[in-house]
Amino acid sequence: MTRFKMKVNLHWLLFVLFIPLSSVLCFSELSFITEPSDVTALPKGPAILDCQAHGQPPVTIKWLKNGHRLAESEHMQFLPNGSLYIPKIKDTKEESDEGFYQCLSQNKYGAILSQRSRLTIARISEFVLHPVPMVVTEGSVARFSCAVTSSPRAIITWEFNQRTLPLQTDRITVLSNGVLQIYNVQLGDAGLYRCVATNIGSRLKSKEGKLTVNQGPNPRQRPRIIAQPQNITVSVHQTVVLECVATGNPWPIISWSRADSKPIDVYNAKVLGNGNLVITDVSSKHSGIYLCRATTPGTRNYTIAAANVTVLVPPSIVERPESQTRPRAGTARFMCQADGVPPPRISWLKNGEEVHLNGRIKMYNSKLVITQIIPEDDAIYQCMAENEQGSVLSLARLIVVMSEDRPSAPRNIHAETISSSAILLAWERPLYNADKVIAYSIHYMKAEGLNNEEYQVVIGNDTTSYIIDDLEPARNYSFYIVAYMPMGASRMSDQVSQHTLEDVPLRTPELTLTSHSLTDIQVSWQPLPAKVSRGRVSAYRLSYRTAADNTVTSVEVPQNSTEYLLEGLQPDTIYLLRMAAATRVGWCEPSAWTSHRTPKTSSNKVPSAPILQLEPLNCTSIVARWQNSLESVAVQGYRLCYHEEGQPEQPSIQLQAQTYTYTISGLDPRRKYHVKIMALSQAGDGYQTDQTVSTPGCVSARDQLAAAPPPPDHVTVLANSSSAVSLRWRCPAFPSGKAISYTVRCTPVGTHNASDVRYLQTTKQSVLLQNLHPNTRYEFVVRLHVDQMSSSWSSVVYHQTLPAAPSQPPAGVRVTLIEDDTALVSWREPTEPNVLVTHYTIMYASQRAWMAGRWQIMRREGTHTMALLEKLEPGNVYLVKISASNQVGDGPFSNIVELALKRGNTHRSKNPRHSDSFLDTTVFSDGLYHIDQRSMTGIIVGVSIALACIVMCALILISKGRPRKSCGHKVITVGPGEGPHAGLSLPNERHKENVEALIPMISDHLDPKGGSNMVINSSGQVGRTNQSTWLLFKKEIRNSSESDVERRASLYEAGKTVLRYEEHLGSAPLPPLSREMIYGPLHSESSHTSEGSQETGDSGQYSNEESNEEMSNSSTPHSSRPESFGSADGTTVTRLKQSFGVENEEKLSHHLCHCCTSECSHPDLHAS
């Protein structure tokens, strides 16, 4: 029963918690399916404005006209789907339905307002421009124009002598802007012309204009534009007509271009008539200055006319506000950014009405900030951007989470000043529910001024103090704190105010220097703003000296002064001046030296110093304005020069006497510039005025709402070497007269290390990337920078660097003696990354041969790291070194490794080694060969198991064994004392004979069960096999088979065990070699190609298939036996049979085969 109650209580708890959560999760934001759009209607005609909204029902829709609610009536009918129907449009002076309409949709969560739509009544006003009479010469150009105000835009047609003007001839061009052009005028073109304007509302005719055509000579003349293009402002998707009519003899050629050198849009632009440019469906990219050029054919005589095209763009939201869930007493921030031409104005709506700003709700630029949230703030907020082209809205909802047991406000707030930029804030925990507090939020803002932005810092609940260290010096700040719990927040604490300490001024005032006489300099300056002074300025210090003397004279000026006159100076002398400012804390760093030359001695009166005013126009331009003092001296011009502080002066600029303003452009942001100007007269140069000014910082791309430039295109990569590539790209087409730079990013594909990513800056459209890794795949991207704006990254281009020759030798070179005259050489790949090795070169020689400079050379494929050195002479010391190579080149050789061979008795005869030999004696091997303690332990265990198996086999043979007749034989020698890697070919002269090396892999012990995959000899564990077979090193395939007797004779050696398989006649053939299944059938002829090397067996990956080609070729009548084997005559066969004692031990061999191999169902095994 108790458990049942706990379950019921748990279900109720989950239900109670889900109720407020479900209201959030199930919230369906109001949204418009259809918003009203602009409508043009006829007077007394009907009109419908569509509006459909979607949201959690019930949803109600109301209408507003020019911002005021509309009441439903017979004249204004609200349709069931939310649309507005006006059955009869009113258009009178007393009442008109023309205006702006919006629909307001509302449900229980809030309300949203639609975009603004305009209802226009169709009409045509009187003509504002009528055709005027004109007289032209035959063969010249006639032009008529008319203009009318209409809504919607009227279509203009022309009549000639009160009949429709025929347009079949190419001589007549009618433009949509109301212009008629007649080229190569004929006598028959004389008459009366008028234009007709038509729209859906009415039709109107203009007055007539008479064209008179006279006959006369047509002398040669330069080109002249008689109707030049006009500046025009249009909305997007409209058509622009730029007229250009030129005359001349010969007839001039008209061409169009853009002043910013961008190409003209060939898809939307066309030339109409003899030179009129028409652009349809215009967009913002078509804005700019267009140049019409009329050129006399075959000459350089031309004339140019220009016109500016401005395309108005309706607003669009580029950063939308996001819905938020905030606890009571929390803070919500809604971001909104919009773009358009002209720049749109942004405002905020709450449930369809304008937000009322107060101390809690503030708007910073376009950001809406709501602090100390209360339940009434739960609403739908809309960001509305509007300009003359329309409006657009984006919505977000603020959900306020309530909590009944929220903590009380933090107590006893205390603020203490630490420095000029830091204040320590301390408080006590809330009196109630302090244990539920998870964080504190500190809010602060400047106490002086209006509309100051509030800042917020969130800290954990483990402290009750915090240092705010990003404050301005000598400022008063107000603070309050809010305690947060998981589902709510406390009320705001009491506010406290505290001021920061003063600091030394950030910089000195900017000086203006003028001379009113030959021996004085008037120094003036503006007071420092509070943000720069960082306190109350207590004094100024003015220092000066001549350019030729280092003696500095200083004068302290009172704090309230803004000018000082230096007197008693020398004429025609350059003086250097600088200033420093101080607060109670101390003096700031003095400014840089500013130069000023006192006037020259002159008997004539020269102009006085102009009164100069400098004003930053933007972050890269300064506007200079000046005026002369009232005097009788005639000014013939002005000389202006400027330079950045600390930089040499620029060449002076000569200006006309009537010029009183000049714009200095191309400057750097946040720099101080010195500007000098003097008036020029016939008597000489006037007195000079010097002034300094600082350019402001550029507004960020986000604030100025400018579209980011497009990324570079046509990025191509060309590999120069294994460590360098050339990267090229093309600058995209966009309007910019400013410097452009690029950033190139180079990243290895798949890297997770940030240090591998490289960035390069350049102003060119190509770059050489060096120090790259060879044989590595990289990805390359480029981005563009202009005027503190950056484009997105270009499309990714992948490219792999060329391989490089190995720069390091093989590592871990080891030489191990495995027989008296055979050694195993093993190594590891070079340690450098991404280097492809195609082959290795092994050079070895005895000390005596090395002294004589005779090295023996062997090559191995790059996939193998092991080789055998054979026919070594005992008692010698051998030197071995290895290098890695690829198709690019050879790498360095490794350090020489020495191998000392002891003198001693060798085997009476070596196993003949048959292999596929290359002309360069190439063998393939890999891995390392060594015996450690673990291997020795394995050997001992394996030997013990093998002995036990042999005893069991002997018992079974004695009790059950029977001999079987054999039809075929296969012999494998197992020699005592042979190493596991023996079996390399013995090089002979010209390598004409094929050699096969049969490796004795089992020395003394054999697993009699036939199921073991362990191969063991006296030296230890060598490898594993998948079947109970023996391992073979091979080099080449035998050309033909030998008879069974010949094979046994050639493979016999005293002291070795010979195992022979016997096959019954008619038995199934043995399965094909695994090597045959992988590489295909074995060929009879030896291969000297690189493919043949794949069939060799000394690669360290030992074959686990038994060689059966001797059996398959046993019927072949001739043999390809090497010379070293000798001839297989009858005597040898007889001696071999006697030594084997085959018939006497048939029974034993049968049982050995029966017990030791799983393949012995057909063959019998005989051993001697």
Side-chain angles (χ1 to χ4, degrees):
M1 185 67 181
T2 305
R3 297 179 61 184
F4 174 76
K5 287 183 178 179
M6 292 178 62
K7 290 183 178 180
V8 172
N9 293 336
L10 181 59
H11 292 163
W12 274 106
L13 178 61
L14 293 175
F15 177 74
V16 171
L17 291 176
F18 180 74
I19 289 177
L21 186 62
S22 63
S23 65
V24 176
L25 296 178
C26 297
F27 163 67
S28 177
E29 288 185 346
L30 275 174
S31 60
F32 286 107
I33 301 175
T34 304
E35 294 187 68
S37 56
D38 293 344
V39 174
T40 301
L42 294 173
K44 299 181 181 181
I48 294 180
L49 297 174
D50 294 324
C51 181
Q52 295 184 31
H54 171 75
Q56 186 167 336
V59 178
T60 61
I61 293 181
K62 299 179 181 180
W63 281 88
L64 291 82
K65 177 186 177 183
N66 297 331
H68 301 287
R69 291 281 182 94
L70 284 176
E72 188 173 9
S73 62
E74 291 185 0
H75 180 63
M76 296 286 182
Q77 301 178 15
F78 297 169
L79 300 181
N81 66 349
S83 300
L84 176 65
Y85 174 62
I86 306 175
K88 188 176 182 180
I89 297 293
K90 295 181 179 180
D91 185 23
T92 63
K93 293 182 179 180
E94 295 78 14
E95 187 176 4
S96 176
D97 292 328
E98 198 170 41
F100 294 96
Y101 290 81
Q102 291 173 286
C103 64
L104 179 70
S105 176
Q106 186 173 8
N107 66 2
K108 67 177 183 178
Y109 294 115
I112 57 176
L113 194 65
S114 73
Q115 68 182 13
R116 190 180 61 195
S117 66
R118 183 174 183 176
L119 175 62
T120 305
I121 299 176
R123 61 172 65 91
I124 294 182
S125 64
E126 292 295 326
F127 277 92
V128 295
L129 179 64
H130 293 271
V132 295
M134 64 183 313
V135 180
V136 299
T137 304
E138 184 181 8
S140 61
V141 179
R143 177 182 178 275
F144 292 101
S145 64
C146 64
V148 66
T149 302
S150 71
S151 179
R153 186 175 180 178
I155 299 175
I156 306 295
T157 59
W158 286 87
E159 291 183 352
F160 174 57
N161 293 331
Q162 299 183 357
R163 293 184 179 182
T164 302
L165 177 68
L167 302 177
Q168 289 82 5
T169 175
D170 295 337
R171 297 186 302 107
I172 299 177
T173 302
V174 176
L175 303 181
S176 60
N177 60 351
V179 174
L180 172 64
Q181 299 171 353
I182 305 175
Y183 294 90
N184 192 17
V185 176
Q186 308 296 324
L187 295 176
D189 295 330
L192 299 176
Y193 292 84
R194 69 179 178 183
C195 62
V196 180
T198 308
N199 71 357
I200 62 173
S202 59
R203 187 168 184 263
L204 194 63
K205 297 182 179 180
S206 70
K207 297 178 181 179
E208 293 181 331
K210 184 177 181 180
L211 174 62
T212 302
V213 181
N214 296 331
Q215 291 182 337
N218 191 6
R220 183 180 182 88
Q221 59 179 350
R222 294 173 60 89
R224 183 171 61 92
I225 297 177
I226 60 174
Q228 62 182 9
Q230 303 296 316
N231 296 338
I232 186 171
T233 300
V234 295
S235 301
V236 290
H237 307 305
Q238 291 187 353
T239 298
V240 171
V241 177
L242 297 177
E243 183 185 11
C244 188
V245 179
T247 61
N249 188 16
W251 200 263
I253 298 174
I254 295 179
S255 60
W256 286 90
S257 63
R258 290 183 56 140
D260 54 9
S261 300
K262 293 174 61 176
I264 295 178
D265 186 2
V266 296
Y267 298 101
N268 297 81
K270 63 179 180 180
V271 176
L272 189 62
N274 280 18
N276 307 288
L277 181 64
V278 178
I279 306 175
T280 59
D281 191 22
V282 297
S283 61
S284 57
K285 68 179 181 180
H286 295 111
S287 295
I289 299 176
Y290 290 78
L291 304 177
C292 169
R293 176 169 175 159
T295 307
T296 301
T299 69
R300 295 183 179 181
N301 297 327
Y302 66 89
T303 183
I304 291 179
N308 186 25
V309 175
T310 303
V311 180
L312 301 180
V313 181
S316 61
I317 303 292
V318 296
E319 182 179 2
R320 300 181 178 274
E322 297 180 354
S323 297
Q324 303 179 29
T325 301
R326 291 291 182 269
R328 183 166 59 178
T331 300
R333 291 177 172 84
F334 293 101
M335 307 296 296
C336 184
Q337 296 287 345
D339 196 3
V341 180
R345 183 180 66 89
I346 292 180
S347 58
W348 286 90
L349 305 176
K350 175 185 176 182
N351 288 336
E353 297 180 355
E354 190 172 353
V355 172
H356 298 288
L357 302 178
N358 52 38
R360 278 192 324 107
I361 303 175
K362 296 185 178 182
M363 184 174 170
Y364 306 104
N365 294 328
S366 61
K367 178 172 64 175
L368 180 66
V369 179
I370 306 174
T371 60
Q372 280 299 297
I373 293 174
I374 59 177
E376 288 74 16
D377 295 328
D378 192 318
I380 299 176
Y381 293 84
Q382 287 179 284
C383 166
M384 181 169 66
E386 53 185 346
N387 63 9
E388 60 188 64
Q389 294 299 300
S391 65
V392 64
L393 297 96
S394 181
L395 63 87
R397 186 181 173 195
L398 174 60
I399 303 172
V400 180
V401 180
M402 307 296 293
S403 177
E404 297 301 329
D405 56 349
R406 60 176 180 162
S408 57
R411 303 172 295 152
N412 300 330
I413 312 300
H414 173 70
E416 181 179 351
T417 301
I418 298 178
S419 67
S420 61
S421 61
I423 291 178
L424 171 64
L425 205 64
W427 63 93
E428 293 183 8
R429 298 182 185 275
L431 186 61
Y432 304 106
N433 296 324
D435 57 330
K436 297 182 179 180
V437 175
I438 61 172
Y440 293 99
S441 175
I442 301 174
H443 302 254
Y444 61 99
M445 62 188 299
K446 294 177 183 178
E448 298 97 352
L450 299 175
N451 201 27
N452 292 322
E453 184 170 0
E454 182 179 279
Y455 301 92
Q456 180 182 11
V457 177
V458 179
I459 61 174
N461 63 351
D462 56 345
T463 182
T464 56
S465 64
Y466 186 77
I467 297 177
I468 303 172
D469 56 0
D470 58 348
L471 308 177
E472 295 180 9
R475 291 278 186 167
N476 282 333
Y477 286 87
S478 61
F479 304 87
Y480 69 88
I481 303 174
V482 177
Y484 280 82
M485 58 180 295
M487 295 298 291
S490 71
R491 296 184 182 276
M492 59 183 291
S493 67
D494 297 334
Q495 288 196 12
V496 296
S497 297
Q498 186 67 13
H499 68 278
T500 53
L501 299 177
E502 291 185 351
D503 206 340
V504 297
L506 198 60
R507 59 175 176 83
T508 60
E510 294 170 347
L511 303 180
T512 299
L513 308 177
T514 58
S515 293
H516 300 291
S517 68
L518 303 179
T519 59
D520 65 25
I521 297 178
Q522 179 73 39
V523 184
S524 58
W525 61 91
Q526 294 294 326
L528 290 173
K531 190 172 183 178
V532 176
S533 64
R534 303 204 290 187
R536 186 163 176 257
V537 176
S538 58
Y540 297 100
R541 180 184 296 156
L542 179 63
S543 303
Y544 63 96
R545 67 178 178 88
T546 63
D549 189 1
N550 293 330
T551 304
V552 178
T553 304
S554 298
V555 178
E556 287 203 10
V557 183
Q559 58 187 14
N560 296 327
S561 301
T562 58
E563 60 181 16
Y564 188 81
L565 181 63
L566 296 177
E567 298 178 304
L569 306 179
Q570 301 175 9
D572 194 18
T573 304
I574 296 177
Y575 281 88
L576 303 179
L577 301 92
R578 69 181 182 184
M579 177 171 278
T583 61
R584 289 181 297 178
V585 179
W587 292 92
C588 71
E589 288 292 327
S591 63
W593 290 104
T594 300
S595 64
H596 180 82
R597 180 187 291 273
T598 54
K600 297 180 181 180
T601 303
S602 175
S603 58
N604 299 323
K605 188 172 179 60
V606 295
S608 60
I611 301 173
L612 178 64
Q613 282 186 332
L614 299 178
E615 179 184 356
L617 181 62
N618 51 45
C619 61
T620 59
S621 301
I622 296 172
V623 177
R625 297 183 178 90
W626 62 91
Q627 60 183 10
N628 288 326
S629 55
L630 299 176
E631 54 187 354
S632 59
V633 178
V635 175
Q636 295 181 339
Y638 297 94
R639 180 183 297 133
L640 183 144
C641 62
Y642 67 93
H643 66 92
E644 183 182 343
E645 186 173 79
Q647 300 295 327
E649 290 190 2
Q650 301 291 330
S652 59
I653 302 170
Q654 301 290 335
L655 302 172
Q656 299 294 326
Q658 293 78 22
T659 305
Y660 299 100
T661 181
Y662 184 78
T663 300
I664 305 172
S665 58
L667 309 179
D668 292 331
R670 301 185 186 276
R671 296 287 189 273
K672 180 178 287 189
Y673 287 88
H674 297 264
V675 181
K676 302 177 182 181
I677 190 171
M678 66 175 63
L680 307 178
S681 69
Q682 190 173 2
D685 297 346
Y687 293 169
Q688 178 177 284
T689 298
D690 297 353
Q691 190 172 336
T692 58
V693 65
S694 297
T695 54
C698 288
V699 181
S700 65
R702 176 176 175 178
D703 293 335
Q704 65 186 3
L705 297 177
D713 50 20
H714 291 78
V715 181
T716 57
V717 186
L718 178 63
N720 292 5
S721 65
S722 60
S723 62
V725 297
S726 294
L727 195 65
R728 297 180 180 275
W729 59 89
R730 193 178 69 180
C731 178
F734 69 100
S736 175
K738 300 179 181 179
I740 297 176
S741 62
Y742 302 92
T743 297
V744 178
R745 188 183 72 196
C746 170
T747 309
V749 174
T751 184
H752 296 283
N753 188 2
S755 61
D756 291 339
V757 183
R758 296 177 57 186
Y759 293 89
L760 283 85
Q761 303 285 340
T762 181
T763 57
K764 302 178 180 179
Q765 296 183 23
S766 63
V767 69
L768 178 64
L769 294 165
Q770 297 178 322
N771 300 323
L772 303 180
H773 299 304
N775 198 32
T776 304
R777 185 173 173 82
Y778 284 88
E779 64 175 30
F780 302 90
V781 288
V782 188
R783 79 186 319 172
L784 177 147
H785 309 280
V786 57
D787 194 22
Q788 296 193 353
M789 297 177 60
S790 300
S791 71
S792 58
W793 291 106
S794 66
S795 301
V796 178
V797 177
Y798 295 95
H799 197 81
Q800 186 160 346
T801 53
L802 298 175
S807 61
Q808 298 182 11
V813 178
R814 183 192 296 265
V815 183
T816 304
L817 186 66
I818 59 176
E819 291 186 11
D820 290 341
D821 63 346
T822 304
L824 174 69
V825 182
S826 60
W827 62 90
R828 295 193 302 271
E829 294 180 352
T831 56
E832 57 184 322
N834 303 321
V835 172
L836 178 65
V837 178
T838 58
H839 64 275
Y840 294 97
T841 301
I842 302 103
M843 297 181 65
Y844 68 99
S846 63
Q847 284 187 343
R848 184 179 307 169
W850 172 71
M851 295 292 291
R854 296 192 304 272
W855 290 89
Q856 298 190 50
I857 301 176
M858 303 173 65
R859 290 186 180 176
R860 303 294 179 263
E861 275 198 356
T863 56
H864 307 296
T865 55
M866 184 179 291
L868 288 176
L869 307 180
E870 294 186 304
K871 299 185 68 176
L872 305 179
E873 298 178 0
N876 286 337
V877 176
Y878 282 85
L879 310 178
V880 182
K881 60 180 181 180
I882 308 175
S883 70
S885 306
N886 58 18
Q887 65 269 25
V888 180
D890 300 329
F893 277 92
S894 64
N895 295 329
I896 293 178
V897 179
E898 295 185 358
L899 175 65
L901 272 65
K902 298 181 180 179
R903 295 184 181 276
N905 295 328
T906 60
H907 298 291
R908 285 184 300 155
S909 62
K910 297 292 179 182
N911 287 334
R913 293 165 172 82
H914 299 269
S915 65
D916 298 338
S917 63
F918 285 87
L919 291 177
D920 60 353
T921 333
T922 304
V923 196
F924 309 101
S925 59
D926 62 6
L928 293 176
Y929 176 84
H930 58 87
I931 300 177
D932 53 13
Q933 187 63 34
R934 185 176 300 176
S935 300
M936 294 300 297
T937 304
I939 292 173
I940 296 174
V941 174
V943 170
S944 301
I945 295 174
L947 289 175
C949 292
I950 291 175
V951 172
M952 293 175 61
C953 289
L955 295 177
I956 294 173
L957 288 174
I958 293 173
S959 60
K960 298 182 179 181
R962 276 190 177 183
R964 295 185 183 182
K965 294 182 180 180
S966 62
C967 62
H969 306 279
K970 183 162 186 176
V971 181
I972 297 179
T973 65
V974 183
E978 295 288 344
H981 294 257
L984 286 179
S985 64
L986 298 174
N988 53 24
E989 236 179 23
R990 302 181 63 87
H991 302 275
K992 292 181 179 179
E993 296 295 328
N994 297 325
V995 181
E996 179 175 359
L998 201 57
I999 301 301
M1001 297 305 299
I1002 299 183
S1003 182
D1004 299 317
H1005 307 290
L1006 177 67
D1007 186 356
K1009 296 181 180 180
S1012 173
N1013 64 348
M1014 187 74 67
V1015 179
I1016 304 171
N1017 67 3
S1018 61
S1019 300
Q1021 176 181 339
V1022 174
R1024 294 179 179 271
T1025 61
N1026 296 331
Q1027 302 174 8
S1028 58
T1029 57
W1030 292 271
L1031 208 63
L1032 300 177
F1033 268 135
K1034 288 188 172 292
K1035 287 194 176 180
E1036 287 190 3
I1037 310 305
R1038 299 178 56 127
N1039 294 335
S1040 60
S1041 62
E1042 305 173 39
S1043 68
D1044 183 60
V1045 176
E1046 289 174 330
R1047 283 198 307 274
R1048 287 181 296 175
S1050 63
L1051 294 176
Y1052 170 73
E1053 184 173 340
K1056 296 186 179 180
T1057 303
V1058 179
L1059 305 182
R1060 182 182 65 195
Y1061 286 93
E1062 294 184 357
E1063 295 185 26
H1064 293 287
L1065 290 174
S1067 61
L1070 290 177
L1073 288 174
S1074 297
R1075 190 172 59 187
E1076 293 182 19
M1077 290 187 285
I1078 296 174
Y1079 298 108
L1082 302 176
H1083 302 287
S1084 61
E1085 295 182 4
S1086 61
S1087 172
H1088 296 281
T1089 65
S1090 59
E1091 288 80 358
S1093 66
Q1094 302 292 334
E1095 301 173 2
T1096 62
D1098 74 62
S1099 65
Q1101 301 174 1
Y1102 305 113
S1103 170
N1104 60 5
E1105 295 292 341
E1106 196 167 12
S1107 179
N1108 292 324
E1109 68 256 24
E1110 292 92 338
M1111 183 175 293
S1112 62
N1113 296 331
S1114 60
S1115 61
T1116 306
H1118 56 274
S1119 171
S1120 61
R1121 183 171 57 256
E1123 296 176 0
S1124 60
F1125 285 9
S1127 60
D1129 54 11
T1131 306
T1132 304
V1133 174
T1134 303
R1135 188 165 56 252
L1136 182 62
K1137 287 184 177 180
Q1138 292 175 355
S1139 302
F1140 272 51
V1142 175
E1143 281 73 23
N1144 294 333
E1145 295 180 9
E1146 243 181 352
K1147 186 175 182 179
L1148 176 61
S1149 65
H1150 165 73
H1151 289 293
L1152 279 175
C1153 173
H1154 181 74
C1155 299
C1156 296
T1157 65
S1158 59
E1159 292 88 354
C1160 284
S1161 58
H1162 297 290
D1164 290 337
L1165 178 64
H1166 295 259
S1168 175

